[in-house]
Amino acid sequence: MMMFRSTAAAFAAVSLLSTPLFAQEAGAGEKASEATPAAAPAQPAPFKPWRPRRPASEGDYVVAKWGPRGLPSPGYAFFADKILPVTSAPIINGVVITRNGTIEAIGKASEITVPAGYEKIDCGDAVICPGFVETHCHIASPSFDLNDTVHPTNPEFRTLDLISMEHDQIMMARAGGVSTALYIPGSGSNMGGFGTLTKTWGNSPEEALVRFPGSLKIAQAGNPERGSGDLGSGMMGMSDGIRMTLMDGQRYWEQMLAFEAGKGPKPKFDPTLELISGLFRHEFPLSVHTQIYQVVLQTLQELRLELGLWTCVVHGTFDGYRLSEDLRMAGVPVSGGPRAYHYDRATGKFNGVLANYALGGKMGWREPVLGLGRDGVGVNTDSPVVAQEQLQLQAAMGVRLGWPHEWALRGLTINNAVFFGIEHRVGSLEVGKDADLGIWSGDPIDPRNYVEKMVVNGTICYQRDPSRPHW
């Protein structure tokens, strides 16, 4: 049942949906309640983001630029009692072999031969998992000049030039298990500029680069209502300003496609519109700061259904989870945070935001709705709103409020990587992927545990001081 079919503001959007509900998947139903979504219907097949024009390989990208891979690093063999690859079953008494920034082998220690000359590191009873992927970060630069506002929409801004690897908060991110961060502008205006996907360690920002642009940051109402610019201080005006700016980029993209097909002149180069055109090529998504039901609905209707853009919700707090089924059908994922709960005044109950998005349920509707499932929900901190090293705690709060424990690790790793198109590099422990490893004292979702070692691009970039107390 599509809930916004009864919402007048979106009456035209239903016919634009291009992703039908998948066939029901046996055994995938979940139980929930009003506080943690209850009586959820059986879930269909795994969620997939909608991005049909996404290039097949890095070499096919026209606008976005990818950072280097295969950076020099020593040969290591990390042995541990438990390894959590995320996309495959846990490995007991396993080993991960890395060299030159990549994972060369992973499996049971008894079945893998360590190459000659590789350093063997015994992690004991530790747990090895992928480095966490943060999708809403404002701390990859010590300057924090991320809310500049010249116009209500500012696509000419970018974070690429601000990144620094050595300041206190990014160092703490490494200590908290975060290896990749999407460093985006703030929400002072409706369109804050282009963000950068970066590793949290590198000998230089160029070495740490994963992809630029990582996304275009949009704030769909909320924060920009503080009065930036001279146009659109309310929801209607702000939505129209966003639409006008993006449609300028759409026209530029269409002219470029015509030129590439030999059907028209090449448009005059415009660096701002060139980057926006990458959105329409589906080379990177929109990061949308959007929260309450009405504003999440506007994001869904305007950005995904009207303009056909690869769209990711990176707040989704308050009661936006009531649109879980609509987001699922449209292929729009949610990386929720930093607010983990919503107090429902109608019922007097606290709701787990991540659990509600994932599991679906009645949500106050007459009939239950589908959730985004295991693969459609991630988690973020909006650092420094929540300290970057507390990304683990954000996931733990989600679990405490009903998010399935096994799904939470995916929400810290592979889900966030998929949402932003970097899953071929990071988010799971697989041969050929970047050697980003968090070596934890125990279950990485349990906030009592901590990072013992952090490996980014095959280099051990953090080791816990053994003299520190364990509690």
Side-chain angles (χ1 to χ4, degrees):
M1 179 178 181
M2 287 286 292
M3 285 301 107
F4 74 59
R5 286 176 181 166
S6 61
T7 304
F11 71 94
V14 178
S15 62
L16 298 174
L17 285 172
S18 60
T19 307
L21 281 173
F22 299 101
Q24 182 169 310
E25 184 178 46
E30 292 91 13
K31 297 180 180 179
S33 71
E34 275 297 334
T36 60
Q43 299 296 311
F47 171 90
K48 293 183 179 179
W50 186 86
R51 50 189 183 187
R53 294 188 292 274
R54 181 190 177 200
S57 68
E58 290 185 9
D60 297 322
Y61 282 67
V62 175
V63 176
K65 306 302 179 186
W66 290 88
R69 300 193 74 187
L71 298 168
S73 68
Y76 292 116
F78 297 95
F79 293 85
D81 281 3
K82 182 177 286 188
I83 298 172
L84 302 176
V86 174
T87 53
S88 58
I91 301 168
I92 306 302
N93 296 323
V95 62
V96 182
I97 297 178
T98 70
R99 185 172 182 270
N100 288 338
T102 60
I103 297 173
E104 292 187 334
I106 180 172
K108 288 187 173 294
S110 60
E111 299 174 357
I112 293 180
T113 301
V114 178
Y118 282 51
E119 182 180 352
K120 296 180 180 180
I121 298 178
D122 185 0
C123 302
D125 60 359
V127 175
I128 299 179
C129 71
F132 295 163
V133 179
E134 168 64 73
T135 60
H136 196 153
C137 166
H138 302 304
I139 64 152
S141 161
S143 61
F144 297 111
D145 51 347
L146 297 175
N147 277 303
D148 285 342
T149 298
V150 178
H151 315 289
T153 58
N154 298 275
E156 63 273 19
F157 293 165
R158 67 184 197 177
T159 62
L160 179 65
D161 312 299
L162 307 178
I163 293 172
S164 170
M165 293 290 102
E166 295 304 326
H167 58 92
D168 290 346
Q169 294 195 57
I170 204 71
M171 294 170 70
M172 288 299 293
R174 299 196 288 267
V178 178
S179 59
T180 304
L182 176 57
Y183 180 47
I184 52 178
S187 303
S189 62
N190 291 127
M191 193 176 290
F194 288 92
T196 307
L197 280 160
T198 180
K199 296 293 179 73
T200 57
W201 180 89
N203 290 310
S204 67
E206 292 79 13
E207 184 177 289
L209 178 67
V210 178
R211 189 186 70 220
F212 176 80
S215 70
L216 174 62
K217 170 65 181 296
I218 283 181
Q220 191 76 280
N223 288 17
E225 294 176 39
R226 292 175 294 198
S228 61
D230 58 359
L231 172 67
S233 59
M235 287 190 186
M236 289 190 297
M238 286 189 291
S239 295
D240 191 47
I242 292 168
R243 183 184 289 107
M244 287 191 295
T245 300
L246 291 174
M247 288 180 69
D248 285 343
Q250 183 179 32
R251 284 187 286 270
Y252 182 92
W253 166 65
E254 290 170 347
Q255 292 169 8
M256 187 63 73
L257 287 182
F259 167 73
E260 292 169 356
K263 298 180 180 179
K266 186 175 183 179
K268 182 180 178 181
F269 178 75
D270 184 314
T272 298
L273 296 181
E274 181 75 12
L275 290 179
I276 294 178
S277 74
L279 289 167
F280 290 91
R281 294 178 184 270
H282 290 179
E283 295 188 7
F284 46 87
L286 295 168
S287 293
V288 190
H289 175 132
T290 186
Q291 314 123 4
I292 63 175
Y293 173 87
Q294 291 89 341
V295 185
V296 174
L297 179 61
Q298 179 64 25
T299 294
L300 174 63
Q301 179 181 337
E302 178 181 353
L303 302 177
R304 161 62 184 90
L305 299 177
E306 291 181 10
L307 294 174
L309 294 171
W310 174 4
T311 303
C312 302
V313 170
V314 294
H315 261 263
T317 48
F318 303 102
D319 63 344
Y321 55 73
R322 299 178 72 199
L323 289 160
S324 61
E325 181 170 328
D326 306 293
L327 294 170
R328 180 183 192 106
M329 291 182 70
V332 176
V334 175
S335 183
R339 186 184 177 105
Y341 67 90
H342 173 62
Y343 177 68
D344 186 344
R345 290 179 175 84
T347 62
K349 296 180 180 179
F350 284 93
N351 288 266
V353 170
L354 299 174
N356 280 16
Y357 270 115
L359 298 174
K362 263 190 116 168
M363 311 297 196
W365 303 115
R366 293 180 180 176
E367 301 292 336
V369 297
L370 294 173
L372 288 161
R374 183 194 70 172
D375 302 313
V377 177
V379 62
N380 69 69
T381 62
D382 192 6
S383 58
V385 174
V386 170
Q388 186 61 78
E389 64 271 20
Q390 292 182 13
L391 182 58
Q392 170 210 38
L393 180 59
Q394 289 288 96
M397 291 173 65
V399 171
R400 174 65 180 82
L401 295 169
W403 197 21
H405 181 274
E406 293 78 9
W407 296 8
L409 185 59
R410 297 183 68 91
L412 289 164
T413 55
I414 191 64
N415 286 5
N416 280 342
V418 168
F419 299 166
F420 287 86
I422 54 174
E423 69 272 22
H424 62 294
R425 287 195 172 198
V426 301
S428 62
L429 301 181
E430 300 178 56
V431 172
K433 284 196 174 186
D434 294 357
D436 295 349
L437 284 65
I439 300 171
W440 289 80
S441 62
D443 178 0
I445 306 299
D446 187 335
R448 295 172 295 182
N449 294 321
Y450 49 82
V451 174
E452 295 181 344
K453 288 184 177 67
M454 191 66 197
V455 181
V456 176
N457 282 339
T459 295
I460 300 173
C461 58
Y462 168 80
Q463 296 192 71
R464 188 178 187 277
D465 182 351
S467 66
R468 289 179 58 193
H470 290 278
W471 300 98

